[in-house]
Amino acid sequence: MLKNLYERANTLFNILFAQNMTIVSGIFLALGIIMQFMDMNFIFNPIWVTILISATPIIFFALKYLILYRQITALVLISIGILSALAIGETFAAAEVAWIMALGEILEDRTVSKTKHSIQNLINLVPTMARLISQDKEEMIQAKQVKLNDIIRILPGEQIPVDGEIIAGATTVNQAILTGESLPIDKKIGDEVYCGTLNMHGSVDIRCTNESKNSSIQKMVRLVEQASANNSPIQRIIDTWAVRLILIALTIAVLTYIFTGDLIRTVTVLVVFCPCAMALATPTSIMAAIGQASKNGVLIKSGHALEAMGKVNAIAFDKTGTLTTGKLTVTDIIAENGNQQEVLFLCAEAEQRSEHPLAKAVLQHYKKESQEPLPQDGEFSMEAGLGIVYKNNAHTIRCGKIQYMQQNAIEISSSLQSQEEILRKQGKALIFVAKDNQCIGIITLADTIRETAKDSIQALHELGITTTLLTGDNKITAEFFANKIGIDTIHAELLPEEKVQYVQKLQKENTVCMIGDGVNDAPALKFADVGVAMGQAGSDISIEAADIALIGEDLGKIAYLKKLSDATVFSIKFNIAIAFTINFLAMILGIMGIIGPVIGALTHNGGSILVILNAARLYEKKIK
């Protein structure tokens, strides 16, 4: 019975404390002020509606935290001020204090991030069906029904439904969803494949090594859930001082009554001590900063993230799609006979029927460089994970790895072979191109570094921030990119849970910001003190998991965010100083009997207006 009554009351007062009801409350407060100013008397005073809507929830929640959680918050002090004013008939003072506090709650709520859907989106990435191979028969079953050691067949273009080991066939797998690797990975018998990744070419049979509930994607789901549970709400400065403020206010009020014997002066002290201006200090500054950031191409989802950004002294970066564009482009064409055009033409002609990302990048480059149409009458075949062969009326063209050339007895000059190791150390993907039995050249492809990456890293170093690269790419590629732009520390070949582990290690001695763009970055973005997603290139899941999203691709905004956060924290502290000063002066005047509860309420209302005006300056502040 009592539990049901409590739940209904909790629901009711949450409704009364909501934005729409606070607007209604403000209308009735304004109507009451007009009536008093014009000396109009009605049977019903509208100010009582304001008290009902805005004051009763404050008193209820103060009692709730006090009784159920044994926690004294600023609401207790405000409740004392409201009840004291009502006790001596100062309804306007009580209503004004209650409404200002309710307004502060709304402003703070608007700075808190909206409910994120990243967990459900991660779950949606998991294939629901699997092709079970049993006694040479194929049967489509629910992926969650797959058991350890079951044999699953995956056809080209299908997502892999469970973690497993290849026992038959060879293929190329796009693992970007988990590792963020810019290049697809060739897989053969004995190699591991992961749930949610994309089988691009060959048909393979895998033996299930992890049931659906323990798959790589499900681990990411659990990591995001755990991080979400660890995200505590913003706790305002005045709440941490609540017990002290109450003791100070009550002590001064009691001493005032003892020495003056005036109840009005006592209530005035309690009214002016209500921390309304302080309640507005944080949310108004944060809202102004969020507004300025949005003008500059940065979406900040929570005030907590903005405040934490000012404390950041270590930033971890994903590579692909963050420091790089995430798009493969042709970087070099090395021709044995100097004829680069021939190498590009023959490779494009051979690769035009391939669905491999490297082939598509070569074709895109060819279309930019040449208007000559490609012949369409050749015969095409592919050997998954190695290369392709294309036969036209004049020649047999092979494109692929150096191993593919060697397997087909293709002659490769010593000069081309010497180039191979150098190019791989630069993190580039290589396509060897052969005409008949002779290798005629190499086409190299790579992910390109963002134009702003190097300058952005340098700007962060100038602010005293250390930088770390956390990537799923191989170590050689990671080192090449990191050294080129000046990253301090490198950790490569990481799975999502390993990125989280490195973020947690950094957090032992630092306030950490994680910057990423992919699904695989979502857990690390959630675990970091501040998560920043690349809004234009990023996945929906990474954007939802992050606290901040960059609308464009300018990494220079990270240093801007740091400076904006510093300015915001300064504004908050300055606003609190204003509020304390005004409340202190009003308290002195109240003790002296110069002002009463109504003037006291109006005085700290003026303080609230000053706080709002000062916070608004942050919106127009110029930050480089």
Side-chain angles (χ1 to χ4, degrees):
M1 179 67 179
L2 287 174
K3 184 179 180 181
N4 289 336
L5 187 62
Y6 162 74
E7 289 176 352
R8 290 179 181 178
N10 195 63
T11 302
L12 173 63
F13 288 122
N14 272 310
I15 293 172
L16 290 177
F17 225 26
Q19 178 174 326
N20 290 340
M21 293 305 294
T22 301
I23 293 172
V24 172
S25 175
I27 292 171
F28 276 94
L29 178 62
L31 185 60
I33 294 171
I34 293 170
M35 287 175 57
Q36 287 192 11
F37 180 76
M38 298 180 67
D39 199 22
M40 298 168 63
N41 292 316
F42 287 104
I43 298 174
F44 177 73
N45 187 348
I47 284 179
W48 280 103
V49 177
T50 301
I51 292 170
L52 176 65
I53 294 174
S54 298
T56 54
I58 291 173
I59 296 168
F60 172 80
F61 289 122
L63 290 172
K64 173 183 172 180
Y65 282 100
L66 192 61
I67 296 170
L68 295 183
Y69 307 114
R70 297 180 182 178
Q71 182 180 352
I72 298 176
T73 67
L75 295 177
V76 174
L77 180 54
I78 294 165
S79 298
I80 292 171
I82 292 170
L83 293 172
S84 300
L86 290 174
I88 62 169
E90 295 288 355
T91 54
F92 171 76
E96 188 272 344
V97 167
W99 187 77
I100 288 292
M101 189 63 198
L103 179 63
E105 289 291 330
I106 288 174
L107 291 174
E108 181 165 332
D109 286 343
R110 291 187 64 180
T111 67
V112 179
S113 57
K114 297 178 181 179
T115 303
K116 299 177 178 68
H117 304 289
S118 50
I119 294 173
Q120 186 58 48
N121 285 343
L122 280 171
I123 294 171
N124 291 341
L125 292 173
V126 181
T128 57
M129 303 298 290
R131 186 178 287 100
L132 178 67
I133 306 299
S134 177
Q135 298 178 348
D136 296 327
K137 293 181 180 180
E138 292 186 10
E139 179 187 2
M140 295 302 295
I141 65 171
Q142 294 286 327
K144 62 185 179 182
Q145 295 176 335
V146 177
K147 299 176 182 178
L148 285 176
N149 298 317
D150 278 354
I151 307 302
I152 304 298
R153 179 164 294 164
I154 300 104
L155 301 181
E158 293 183 342
Q159 278 188 298
I160 297 172
V162 293
D163 293 348
E165 178 185 341
I166 296 178
I167 60 171
T171 187
T172 302
V173 177
N174 186 336
Q175 297 187 157
I177 188 175
L178 279 179
T179 65
E181 292 168 289
S182 54
L183 299 175
I185 305 299
D186 297 323
K187 300 284 186 177
K188 60 185 183 303
I189 292 175
D191 288 341
E192 286 185 315
V193 291
Y194 303 105
C195 176
T197 58
L198 180 65
N199 180 36
M200 300 189 66
H201 297 299
S203 172
V204 292
D205 292 349
I206 68 170
R207 179 178 56 83
C208 175
T209 56
N210 273 324
E211 293 181 355
S212 179
K213 63 182 180 181
N214 295 319
S215 69
S216 305
I217 286 287
Q218 291 297 338
K219 287 179 182 177
M220 289 175 62
V221 170
R222 286 194 287 273
L223 285 170
V224 173
E225 285 176 335
Q226 182 182 344
S228 297
N230 290 338
N231 276 348
S232 58
I234 302 168
Q235 185 178 33
R236 286 175 291 162
I237 294 173
I238 56 171
D239 276 340
T240 63
W241 277 75
V243 176
R244 297 175 191 176
L245 285 172
I246 290 170
L247 290 175
I248 293 169
L250 291 176
T251 301
I252 295 174
V254 169
L255 290 174
T256 299
Y257 186 73
I258 290 172
F259 285 103
T260 66
D262 190 338
L263 189 59
I264 298 295
R265 296 188 188 190
T266 304
V267 173
T268 301
V269 169
L270 293 173
V271 168
V272 298
F273 241 104
C274 289
C276 295
M278 287 181 282
L280 293 170
T282 297
T284 51
S285 294
I286 288 173
M287 283 188 68
I290 289 174
Q292 186 194 122
S294 65
K295 289 194 304 180
N296 287 279
V298 181
L299 297 180
I300 302 173
K301 299 182 185 178
S302 73
H304 169 74
L306 183 62
E307 292 181 79
M309 194 68 201
K311 302 174 185 177
V312 165
N313 58 356
I315 295 182
F317 290 90
D318 170 53
K319 182 183 79 68
T320 306
T322 302
L323 294 172
T324 68
T325 62
K327 298 176 182 177
L328 289 171
T329 56
V330 173
T331 55
D332 306 284
I333 300 175
I334 301 168
E336 178 68 13
N337 58 4
N339 191 345
Q340 294 180 341
Q341 188 175 358
E342 180 189 21
V343 173
L344 178 60
F345 177 83
L346 291 178
C347 185
E349 181 184 358
E351 295 279 18
Q352 61 185 313
R353 297 186 191 176
S354 173
E355 291 298 318
H356 199 286
L358 297 184
K360 291 180 178 179
V362 170
L363 286 169
Q364 187 176 14
H365 183 76
Y366 177 80
K367 289 174 182 178
K368 287 182 180 178
E369 297 294 320
S370 176
Q371 299 297 320
E372 185 178 349
L374 294 169
Q376 303 288 325
D377 57 351
E379 296 178 5
F380 172 88
S381 63
M382 177 188 68
E383 188 168 343
L386 287 173
I388 59 102
V389 59
Y390 178 83
K391 296 180 181 180
N392 57 27
N393 294 330
H395 303 286
T396 297
I397 305 165
R398 285 183 171 85
C399 302
K401 294 183 175 181
I402 190 171
Q403 294 93 330
Y404 185 57
M405 301 293 144
Q406 293 167 345
Q407 286 179 13
N408 287 277
I410 302 298
E411 184 181 341
I412 307 174
S413 69
S414 57
S415 62
L416 288 180
Q417 290 187 47
S418 64
Q419 288 282 340
E420 195 255 357
E421 186 176 353
I422 296 170
L423 294 169
R424 288 201 181 281
K425 286 183 178 179
Q426 295 176 1
K428 296 177 180 179
L430 311 182
I431 300 176
F432 284 80
V433 182
K435 183 171 70 173
D436 297 325
N437 295 319
Q438 179 73 38
C439 184
I440 62 170
I442 303 173
I443 294 179
T444 71
L445 302 97
D447 193 359
T448 53
I449 296 173
R450 291 192 187 278
E451 293 181 2
T452 58
K454 187 173 183 179
D455 290 341
S456 300
I457 297 299
Q458 183 178 345
L460 293 173
H461 287 164
E462 289 173 357
L463 292 172
I465 296 173
T466 60
T467 54
T468 301
L469 182 65
L470 303 179
T471 180
D473 262 353
N474 66 76
K475 189 175 181 180
I476 293 175
T477 301
E479 287 178 345
F480 173 77
F481 277 95
N483 293 334
K484 203 165 184 179
I485 61 176
I487 292 276
D488 295 323
T489 311
I490 306 160
H491 300 289
E493 300 175 13
L494 303 179
L495 291 173
E497 57 265 33
E498 293 172 320
K499 286 187 178 184
V500 169
Q501 290 168 8
Y502 277 105
V503 166
Q504 290 176 320
K505 285 180 183 178
L506 283 170
Q507 285 176 317
K508 291 179 180 178
E509 297 181 359
N510 304 278
T511 301
V512 180
C513 171
M514 173 71 194
I515 305 175
D517 75 302
V519 173
N520 61 298
D521 299 317
L525 289 169
K526 291 292 289 183
F527 267 89
D529 298 289
V530 183
V532 179
M534 304 296 290
Q536 188 167 329
S539 70
D540 290 342
I541 292 172
S542 67
I543 292 169
E544 288 183 359
D547 304 295
I548 298 170
L550 305 183
I551 298 173
E553 300 179 347
D554 184 4
L555 288 169
K557 299 297 183 185
I558 305 301
Y560 159 80
L561 268 172
K562 171 74 173 173
K563 295 175 182 177
L564 177 63
S565 176
D566 291 339
T568 304
V569 171
F570 176 81
S571 176
I572 290 170
K573 291 179 178 179
F574 187 74
N575 283 344
I576 289 173
I578 291 174
F580 263 117
T581 302
I582 290 174
N583 283 8
F584 177 77
L585 293 174
M587 180 192 67
I588 297 299
L589 294 174
I591 292 172
M592 297 172 64
I594 297 174
I595 63 173
V598 173
I599 300 301
L602 289 172
T603 299
H604 75 64
N605 192 12
S608 300
I609 293 171
L610 285 176
V611 163
I612 292 171
L613 291 175
N614 183 59
R617 292 174 59 247
L618 194 60
Y619 183 77
E620 299 294 341
K621 187 177 178 67
K622 292 183 179 179
I623 299 175
K624 294 183 180 180

